[in-house]
Amino acid sequence: MDRRTVLKGLAGAGGLALTGLSAPAIAQGASARTLRFVPQANLANFDPIWGTQYVVRNAAALVWDTLYGIDAQLQPQRQMIESEETSDDGKTWTFRLRPGLKFHDGEPVLAKDAVASLSRWAARDPMGLMIIAIQQELTAVDDRTFKWVLKQPFPKMLYALAKNNAPCSFIMPERIAKTDPFKQITEYVGSGPMKFAKSEWVPGAKSVFEKFTDYVPRQEKASWLAGGKQILVDRVEWIVMPDPATAAAALQNGEVDWWENPIADLVPVLKKNKNISVDIGDPLGNIGSFRMNHLFAPFNDVRARRAVLMALSQEDYMRAIVGDDNALWKPLPGFFTPDTPVYNEMGGEILKGKRDFDAAKKLLAESGYSGQPVTCLVAQDQPITKAQGDVTADLLKRLGMNVDFVATDWGTVGSRRAAKTPPGQGGWNMFHSWHAGADCITPAAYTAIRANGDKAWFGWPNSPNTEKEIAGWFDAKSVEEEKAAIGRVNKAAIEDVVYAPTGFFLTYTAWRKNVSGIAKGPLPFFWGVSKSA
Amino acid sequence: MLSYILRRVVATLPVMAIVALFVFSLLYIAPGDPAVVIAGDQASPEDVERIRQSLGLDRPFLVQFGSWVWRILHGDLGTSIFTNLPVSAMIGQRLGPTLSLMIVTLLLTIVVAVPLGVVAAWKAGSLIDRVIMGFAVFGFSLPVFVVGYMLAYIFALELEWLPVQGYTPLNQGFWPWLENLILPAIALGCVYIALVARITRAAMLEVLQQDYIRTAKAKGLGQGGILFIHALKNAAVPIVTVIGIGIALLIGGAVVTESVFAIPGLGRLTIDAILRRDYPVIQGIVLLFSFVYVLVNLMIDVIYTLVDPRIRY
């Protein structure tokens, strides 16, 4: 008997005397059937259409199923769908639901639920908005069949319904899905493999999911968001740990089983522990970025933006983010996710090779830059943006620029970057961010690559060439055509410097060795994960 | 006394109203926008604006403030922008852990700091006194998170005696409740113990030089009787004051402690709400804390009358 057991026994006896209450006897088996998981962030809300944070999407994938799911080969596969048909002209899609699908409240999943859910999703999703723009009607034909009639073909329909970037097209009961897409739902009823235990939800601290026993998994092997989602534990508890050191200690101590996203500094400690496995979590990684404001000097001149690209060292950025672990980063001469089927580096020469400060300074001078302050927004409370901000400040100073370094919090950066006023009047010249590699495989979900001026993401780049090539990708009908189109998008976006990519980086995930079945992917997949005592 | 307590309680209402107005104004003019956080990183400005409108954040300051005050007057603290849950329910969820942490820390402080201060005063100038005061300076100088990490490393990771994180409600057993609070309470209590021990020593030193103590010694009263019956009671006013003021320290310290030990208390809720600009939650917590401060001050005043019969209101 160890010291802790003795202490527990003594205090337990005292406690009984004082409170008359006893601790519940948690059998070893019960503990093994509960998986305790530390997510990347706090689950502060739980409407995956209203709020598009990754953490909400990750939790939602447990509770709500999708019609199609993207697999590890990045292909859309049927999930809630039994079959689909496309008309000869490519304008009418007819979908049939799998039989026996049930919501957590016991009600069957019907075509009208899918119609309402897709309507709500499409109002908030970039690809969904593209579909709405050419939609003629979306209607239920019978209980299990619905059709989407378009005014023109949309070849990427199945990808849109399967993609994993937020918001995903999760299917909810019609009464819930009829909620205004800009208002939050209050019922969390899905047909996914786990139920959300709302009564145990402590936002900011704990979220609990229970196995949905009526869930009927597909027969295929699970692959990312597709295939048979077999849940092998009774409960999954998400425990929010704001302090990485505490999360590391809790994992070492066996108080939690799986930590989604350990910070690079603590990985060596975890690797030394014989009870812990550490591996790359998401092979699609992340793309670091800083965006320049195309509306105002100096970055309204493409020469100033190119000057920055000529001088920036992606290695400096990546080392600031991941430290000395070379397995965690690689240079990225472009905008798209490496090692994916249509990856292309066409036109990426400016980001390769030795950095040329002299040429960059000359180009900057040609752009007319004359020493005006460059307002650089940096969110200090996000380690990735903080690290990038420090490197950028140094880079700009070495280029001879006058840096107005605004160190603040993410909430402030998030709102200030939306200001289109000049930098001296509450606006900005640059800010830092990063994009999940899963969102940057193609232009489908890649908001940051869009360059349609006022409608583009913050920085409002206006590059008709980039937009033309993006449209070309949407029309592509084969992988070869897609790959060629992606190359042209990359080239055009680099020529006009839509934004500055600072490199490709990976992150680790860590789990106790009594947990098995953890798959690498763009989000944590709980199906197929089991835990022994 | 009863009328005095009633007057004080009634007097808290304008204080809380002023605090509420101040906090509401401060948040209104501070940069940051909850709609941006909700919409996510990839959202368009149009999406953000639609969310702002749906939350009523686009309405004028006076309309927003008036609507909030109206709800408060009806006993409604509002709804969290992010979770869509009632603020009162969220505060209720988090009150237990924070109260537990504060109670255990307070008890620990009183049990450890007061005797240490008394002994240091009794042995003033001796090695014992210097050692106790040395520890007090040490405890006062170390930040809560440093002590927290050290304790977690030694007692949780190395010795495996206590858990690193979490909170278990008391209704699930006394030990499960207490074992999660021991390390946080020690970490949080270090500064507090140091402060109370030093004040106790100073107050005791002053009292121990009084004539009646000399008289007590002369008539052969035992050491314990002199220290804990005669001296301590008369030194209690400044000690009670510093313990009361220390509750403010505890609330501040709880923010860090709850993060280090992943305790789902009000401190963490406050930080999360501020970072997300969840205005209704911040306002609710500020109101609660204001009320707690006023009540603690009131309790201190009442305790004065108990320890010093000369004090009357």
Side-chain angles (χ1 to χ4, degrees):
Chain A
M1 186 179 281
D2 63 14
R3 174 71 178 269
R4 191 169 170 184
T5 311
V6 175
L7 279 173
K8 276 181 183 178
L10 289 172
L16 282 176
L18 280 171
T19 65
L21 296 166
S22 62
I26 298 170
Q28 203 175 33
S31 168
R33 291 195 297 273
T34 299
L35 186 73
R36 292 157 305 175
F37 172 76
V38 181
Q40 54 173 272
N42 165 30
L43 184 68
N45 68 79
F46 201 30
D47 181 343
I49 306 299
W50 179 79
T52 53
Q53 298 96 328
Y54 289 131
V55 68
V56 179
R57 182 248 349 234
N58 298 352
L62 280 168
V63 175
W64 289 283
D65 219 340
T66 46
L67 300 174
Y68 293 82
I70 200 90
D71 69 9
Q73 281 69 51
L74 304 173
Q75 295 302 310
Q77 304 292 346
R78 292 170 188 156
Q79 191 56 32
M80 296 171 76
I81 287 291
E82 181 182 70
S83 63
E84 73 283 309
E85 275 177 29
T86 324
S87 62
D88 291 341
D89 61 4
K91 293 181 185 171
T92 302
W93 289 84
T94 307
F95 301 93
R96 188 156 176 80
L97 294 168
R98 270 203 289 154
L101 296 174
K102 235 185 235 183
F103 283 116
H104 299 157
D105 58 4
E107 294 296 316
V109 178
L110 302 176
K112 64 176 184 174
D113 301 311
V115 167
S117 299
L118 290 176
S119 300
R120 187 167 188 258
W121 160 79
R124 295 297 305 273
D125 181 75
M127 285 189 88
L129 287 168
M130 293 173 80
I131 299 173
I132 285 180
I134 56 170
Q135 174 180 310
Q136 194 166 305
E137 62 170 344
L138 171 60
T139 49
V141 176
D142 57 39
D143 276 357
R144 283 177 52 205
T145 313
F146 65 97
K147 66 177 179 180
W148 212 335
V149 184
L150 308 175
K151 292 171 189 157
Q152 64 189 66
F154 188 74
K156 302 288 188 285
M157 172 65 87
L158 298 189
Y159 185 84
L161 299 181
K163 68 184 179 59
N164 61 273
N165 76 293
C168 297
S169 53
F170 294 115
I171 303 301
M172 304 172 174
E174 185 190 37
R175 69 173 190 284
I176 300 172
K178 279 191 164 170
T179 308
D180 180 330
F182 289 89
K183 287 193 173 152
Q184 207 179 146
I185 59 170
T186 51
E187 276 187 273
Y188 310 111
V189 178
S191 66
M194 300 204 88
K195 295 187 290 185
F196 183 58
K198 190 181 177 186
S199 62
E200 294 188 60
W201 185 28
V202 184
K206 189 178 183 183
S207 313
V208 176
F209 306 88
E210 291 166 343
K211 184 175 181 172
F212 178 41
T213 48
D214 282 347
Y215 183 75
V216 183
R218 295 186 72 90
Q219 294 306 304
E220 303 92 334
K221 194 175 170 234
S223 176
W224 285 15
L225 288 167
K229 297 174 179 175
Q230 302 273 0
I231 298 294
L232 305 175
V233 292
D234 292 341
R235 275 166 71 91
V236 174
E237 293 180 356
W238 284 30
I239 301 164
V240 180
M241 300 255 185
D243 188 324
T246 309
L251 186 68
Q252 292 174 80
N253 219 22
E255 293 173 43
V256 295
D257 305 304
W258 181 8
W259 182 13
E260 182 182 4
N261 207 0
I263 62 169
D265 292 348
L266 293 170
V267 164
V269 177
L270 299 177
K271 280 183 171 173
K272 276 184 199 164
N273 190 308
K274 65 181 188 324
N275 296 316
I276 294 173
S277 298
V278 181
D279 201 352
I280 299 297
D282 175 11
L284 298 177
N286 303 278
I287 291 173
S289 81
F290 67 82
R291 292 183 76 87
M292 294 171 267
N293 192 336
H294 292 232
L295 299 182
F296 301 104
F299 299 126
N300 58 351
D301 190 309
V302 71
R303 289 169 296 183
R305 302 197 298 272
R306 282 190 195 142
V308 174
L309 280 201
M310 289 168 88
L312 78 82
S313 159
Q314 291 189 331
E315 179 167 1
D316 290 350
Y317 281 95
M318 293 296 101
R319 293 220 178 278
I321 293 173
V322 302
D324 293 331
D325 192 338
N326 286 331
L328 283 182
W329 74 277
K330 61 170 78 176
L332 183 67
F335 295 92
F336 292 94
T337 309
D339 305 322
T340 51
V342 292
Y343 176 69
N344 213 301
E345 297 181 357
M346 192 192 294
E349 290 72 24
I350 196 171
L351 286 161
K352 294 178 182 173
K354 195 170 177 293
R355 308 288 75 203
D356 192 342
F357 266 83
D358 291 337
K361 282 180 181 172
K362 195 171 159 222
L363 196 58
L364 188 62
E366 284 173 17
S367 77
Y369 177 70
S370 55
Q372 69 263 43
V374 173
T375 304
C376 178
L377 306 182
V378 179
Q380 303 275 73
D381 54 341
Q382 303 264 351
I384 293 172
T385 56
K386 162 79 168 66
Q388 293 190 98
D390 291 343
V391 176
T392 298
D394 177 60
L395 168 72
L396 299 187
K397 280 176 193 160
R398 286 159 65 202
L399 274 173
M401 299 182 98
N402 177 12
V403 183
D404 172 21
F405 192 79
V406 181
T408 180
D409 69 321
W410 173 242
T412 302
V413 172
S415 57
R416 186 165 173 183
R417 70 181 182 178
K420 286 186 175 173
T421 48
Q425 297 167 31
W428 54 279
N429 289 111
M430 58 202 317
F431 77 91
H432 299 79
S433 186
W434 76 97
H435 311 291
D439 295 354
C440 305
I441 298 166
T442 67
Y446 199 169
T447 315
I449 197 75
R450 296 301 301 271
N452 45 351
D454 268 358
K455 290 184 177 167
W457 207 49
F458 308 102
W460 306 284
N462 188 0
S463 166
N465 264 348
T466 306
E467 282 296 299
K468 187 185 92 183
E469 303 302 352
I470 288 173
W473 176 83
F474 273 101
D475 291 335
K477 292 179 178 61
S478 67
V479 174
E480 289 70 33
E481 279 183 31
E482 285 195 26
K483 186 161 186 174
I486 292 288
R488 292 192 298 272
V489 174
N490 200 58
K491 186 168 184 288
I494 286 184
E495 273 173 6
D496 287 340
V497 197
V498 170
Y499 74 85
T502 59
F504 174 78
F505 63 96
L506 297 156
T507 51
Y508 284 115
T509 192
W511 64 94
R512 304 277 301 174
K513 283 188 174 160
N514 62 336
V515 174
S516 56
I518 290 174
K520 291 184 181 188
L523 56 146
F525 301 113
F526 292 87
W527 30 94
V529 176
S530 61
K531 181 184 166 190
S532 58
Chain B
M1 175 58 79
L2 190 62
S3 68
Y4 169 75
I5 291 173
L6 281 175
R7 278 203 314 274
R8 285 286 298 267
V9 170
V10 171
T12 63
L13 298 177
V15 172
M16 287 171 66
I18 291 166
V19 170
L21 176 62
F22 179 71
V23 170
F24 198 92
S25 311
L26 210 60
L27 286 168
Y28 191 83
I29 59 171
D33 186 343
V36 170
V37 185
I38 290 162
D41 203 37
Q42 310 293 317
S44 69
E46 290 75 25
D47 284 350
V48 173
E49 194 48 42
R50 287 279 304 271
I51 292 172
R52 295 190 86 246
Q53 285 172 9
S54 75
L55 296 171
L57 296 170
D58 58 332
R59 293 182 299 170
F61 170 79
L62 282 177
V63 174
Q64 287 190 49
F65 183 69
S67 144
W68 181 65
V69 170
W70 182 251
R71 283 199 310 269
I72 295 291
L73 291 175
H74 288 78
D76 176 11
L77 287 177
T79 306
S80 160
I81 288 172
F82 284 82
T83 64
N84 215 19
L85 297 172
V87 172
S88 51
M90 290 178 73
I91 289 176
Q93 276 181 329
R94 303 301 193 96
L95 203 55
T98 299
L99 270 181
S100 299
L101 179 60
M102 289 176 71
I103 288 167
V104 175
T105 307
L106 262 177
L107 288 175
L108 183 75
T109 300
I110 292 167
V111 168
V112 174
V114 174
L116 280 181
V118 170
V119 170
W122 182 252
K123 299 285 182 188
S126 71
L127 182 63
I128 294 173
D129 178 29
R130 285 201 291 272
V131 168
I132 291 172
M133 286 303 105
F135 272 114
V137 171
F138 189 64
F140 208 76
S141 314
L142 282 176
V144 171
F145 67 91
V146 172
V147 180
Y149 289 142
M150 280 168 43
L151 291 171
Y153 178 75
I154 296 167
F155 293 101
L157 284 182
E158 289 299 313
L159 299 173
E160 297 183 8
W161 288 0
L162 292 161
V164 172
Q165 55 81 42
Y167 171 76
T168 309
L170 184 58
N171 63 9
Q172 291 185 26
F174 182 73
W175 174 249
W177 172 77
L178 187 63
E179 74 168 347
N180 277 120
L181 294 170
I182 294 173
L183 297 183
I186 296 172
L188 180 57
C190 272
V191 174
Y192 202 32
I193 288 169
L195 181 70
V196 174
R198 286 175 70 89
I199 296 293
T200 305
R201 178 182 181 275
M204 286 291 287
L205 273 178
E206 198 180 322
V207 171
L208 288 173
Q209 287 160 11
Q210 301 293 318
D211 290 344
Y212 66 86
I213 296 292
R214 202 175 305 123
T215 307
K217 279 181 187 170
K219 71 178 185 184
L221 205 64
Q223 226 174 59
I226 293 171
L227 284 176
F228 292 99
I229 296 171
H230 288 272
L232 186 57
K233 193 174 175 188
N234 286 294
V237 168
I239 297 171
V240 167
T241 307
V242 81
I243 287 175
I245 292 168
I247 290 173
L249 280 179
L250 282 185
I251 290 174
V255 173
V256 179
T257 313
E258 287 173 6
S259 288
V260 169
F261 291 96
I263 296 171
L266 282 172
R268 266 178 66 191
L269 182 65
T270 310
I271 293 293
D272 289 345
I274 290 170
L275 287 176
R276 287 199 304 261
R277 310 291 194 273
D278 197 344
Y279 301 145
V281 176
I282 300 168
Q283 288 150 0
I285 293 171
V286 169
L287 271 188
L288 176 74
F289 283 170
S290 313
F291 191 61
V292 168
Y293 282 133
V294 173
L295 279 187
V296 166
N297 275 318
L298 178 61
M299 278 169 59
I300 292 169
D301 286 348
V302 172
I303 292 171
Y304 283 168
T305 64
L306 299 176
V307 296
D308 188 346
R310 292 168 297 178
I311 297 174
R312 283 284 175 269
Y313 297 108

